[in-house]
Amino acid sequence: MRPRLSGASACVAALGLLGSLVTACGSSEDGDGTTLRLVAAEYGTSPATSSRAYWDKLTAAFAAAHPGAKVEVTLYPWDDVDREVTRMVEEGHAPDVALMGAYSDFAAQGRLYAARELLSVRAEANFLPPLAEAGTVGTTLYGLPFVASSRLLFYNETLFDKAGAKPPRTWSGLKSAAGKLKEEGVPYPYALPLGPEEAHAEALIWELSNGGGYADSYGDYSIASEKNAQTFRWIKDNLVAPGLTGPVTPGELNRRDAFAAFLRGEVGMLNGYPSLLHEARAKGIKVGTIAMPVSDTLEEGEAPPAAGVADWMMAFKRDGNRELVGSFLEFVYEDKNLNEFAGRYHLLPSTVSANLETENAAADPSATQFLDALRGAELYPVNEPSWLQVSNTIKRNIGKAVAPSADPQVVLEDIARDVREMTKQAG
């Protein structure tokens, strides 16, 4: 057990979801060992769904269990949080703990505590293996996975029944189903969001389904591999060229717009995660979920990993804060606290024990399907210090690989050349 701390009550910062930030208490940038500053991404999309309610409740409970400990929470929209934390670090005012989309650049700078310096052996060993691997630089865990999601192929069962289409298991089956959906007038037989919002996710899903990916077996970037070039060539020739991806050019279709079209009943198939499934069912849409169809060139029985995504907790080194940070993170990662946040946003918890609780409580078979996919998922190479820059480059450019006049191999080689420069600068 960690020793209890003495002092006053918890203090929390409130977020105005339209971008204004209102702080409910004074700053503690120098700190006194009893005040912890957390900067986190806002997961909600409105005041009613804001993450503030969760953090208010959790920090109050933590303060009650640790008399004298204070926690100040600042929330930023996802579009801003990485930039804001980077700014704080550069200005010499790093938070004690941050929850955001990348961690490895700070680890490479020697600014983060290792998990073993903060957590009990049991807590450190409790993270799901694919997530722990992605959070590890060398042999040291720095990025603590918080919540995660895996991706499955969603299909509109009503549209499929009307078109006489079958849920696809292979790329050729996906093409066949998309063709039947198009004949029935479905606007987006297969929605292909390769726009800059989250193109790197859609691209990874397709690359994995052909035995490719962003990194090779040695951990080096392999964006322009022959497997990846084959993947985008197939997409271009078999889905985009025949008009099976809808009225919006894939390079201009963002995830939020593809999801909105799915919720309007205009999409036959797309890759999605648990929260979209929840929204669709709430609207009365009958949704089937299956693993991403695989390339017809893969050997029979070969099952590529699903794509997984995680968000990361990280703890910044500061004189006198290690004990408090460790106590706080042990509290955050208790099953009940982690599951409450994951359940609020229909995401998956990052630990073995919390996942077991979720699975035991799940009445929906698709929930187990997402959990199973996550256990064997492949994540972005977030343990590369250059990943934040690399992912932005992929987002902006990967959609060009399926443009009518493009040579996918050339587009991927252009991206890979930029990535090599970024890797040199980060390394």
Side-chain angles (χ1 to χ4, degrees):
M1 295 288 290
R2 299 181 186 273
R4 294 192 175 204
L5 303 170
S6 60
S9 62
C11 178
V12 185
L15 175 75
L17 288 175
L18 296 179
S20 61
L21 186 69
V22 180
T23 305
C25 57
S27 173
S28 60
E29 309 218 337
D30 296 325
D32 58 5
T34 62
T35 300
L36 182 147
R37 295 170 56 238
L38 167 66
V39 174
E42 169 60 76
Y43 285 70
T45 57
S46 70
T49 61
S50 172
S51 304
R52 180 187 172 191
Y54 171 84
W55 292 114
D56 279 354
K57 179 180 176 182
L58 183 134
T59 54
F62 177 75
H66 299 79
K70 298 188 294 183
V71 181
E72 298 175 1
V73 181
T74 303
L75 301 178
Y76 288 103
W78 271 109
D79 289 346
D80 301 332
V81 66
D82 287 3
R83 181 178 66 253
E84 289 298 327
V85 172
T86 299
R87 176 186 60 77
M88 293 175 190
V89 171
E90 291 174 347
E91 293 176 355
H93 302 305
D96 296 289
V97 178
L99 170 58
M100 48 193 277
Y103 72 89
S104 56
D105 49 346
F106 299 127
Q109 296 166 20
R111 297 181 182 276
L112 301 182
Y113 285 113
R116 63 174 176 266
E117 298 177 271
L118 302 168
L119 301 177
S120 65
V121 172
R122 178 186 176 280
E124 183 179 358
N126 196 26
F127 294 113
L128 289 168
L131 306 184
E133 181 180 350
T136 298
V137 177
T139 60
T140 302
L141 180 66
Y142 290 104
L144 309 183
F146 183 56
V147 287
S149 66
S150 57
R151 303 297 171 94
L152 297 173
L153 184 75
F154 289 24
Y155 63 95
N156 184 311
E157 293 181 341
T158 301
L159 297 180
F160 262 63
D161 290 345
K162 185 178 179 181
K166 295 181 180 179
R169 303 293 176 182
T170 63
W171 285 2
S172 60
L174 188 150
K175 178 182 178 181
S176 174
K180 292 179 179 180
L181 291 163
K182 182 181 180 182
E183 290 174 3
E184 286 295 322
V186 175
Y188 294 86
Y190 177 84
L192 182 66
L194 291 177
E197 180 189 358
E198 205 196 30
H200 62 313
E202 182 72 13
L204 179 61
I205 292 166
W206 277 94
E207 290 167 357
L208 292 174
S209 70
N210 191 33
Y214 288 138
D216 60 24
S217 58
Y218 299 100
D220 298 322
Y221 286 117
S222 58
I223 291 168
S225 69
E226 178 56 30
K227 283 280 190 181
N228 291 347
Q230 289 173 358
T231 296
F232 287 98
R233 195 174 298 119
W234 189 92
I235 295 171
K236 176 188 171 184
D237 294 342
N238 292 275
L239 295 181
V240 180
L244 301 180
T245 56
V248 180
T249 302
E252 298 177 359
L253 181 64
N254 281 318
R255 181 195 65 185
R256 64 171 62 92
D257 298 321
F259 282 12
F262 186 78
L263 295 174
R264 294 193 301 268
E266 298 174 359
V267 175
M269 296 174 281
L270 87 172
N271 286 301
Y273 46 68
S275 57
L276 176 64
L277 181 61
H278 175 81
E279 289 183 72
R281 289 181 172 170
K283 288 181 173 292
I285 298 174
K286 295 181 179 179
V287 183
T289 55
I290 56 174
M292 174 65 188
V294 300
S295 166
D296 296 81
T297 63
L298 293 184
E299 295 183 11
E300 186 174 352
E302 189 174 353
V309 178
D311 302 327
W312 305 97
M313 282 276 192
M314 65 214 72
F316 289 87
K317 294 178 180 178
R318 182 165 60 79
D319 289 345
N321 75 339
R322 186 175 70 85
E323 197 72 33
L324 178 59
V325 168
S327 296
F328 179 71
L329 290 175
E330 286 273 356
F331 188 75
V332 167
Y333 282 98
E334 289 181 10
D335 290 348
K336 62 180 180 180
N337 294 329
L338 190 57
N339 273 330
E340 182 176 343
F341 190 93
R344 176 184 290 264
Y345 297 106
H346 307 287
L347 295 168
L348 304 174
S350 60
T351 64
V352 174
S353 57
N355 263 277
L356 184 60
E357 276 197 11
T358 300
E359 188 172 26
N360 290 340
D364 184 354
S366 62
T368 301
Q369 202 175 2
F370 281 110
L371 292 172
D372 288 343
L374 181 62
R375 291 189 180 103
E378 181 167 325
L379 281 73
Y380 306 131
V382 290
N383 44 14
E384 285 289 335
S386 59
W387 173 245
L388 193 57
Q389 289 179 288
V390 168
S391 63
N392 285 332
T393 297
I394 294 171
K395 290 177 192 178
R396 292 194 308 270
N397 295 289
I398 199 71
K400 299 173 185 176
V402 298
S405 60
D407 180 339
Q409 182 73 60
V410 172
V411 173
L412 294 181
E413 287 174 352
D414 287 344
I415 295 173
R417 183 175 57 252
D418 291 342
V419 166
R420 285 193 292 271
E421 289 301 316
M422 294 171 188
T423 303
K424 288 179 184 177
Q425 293 173 10

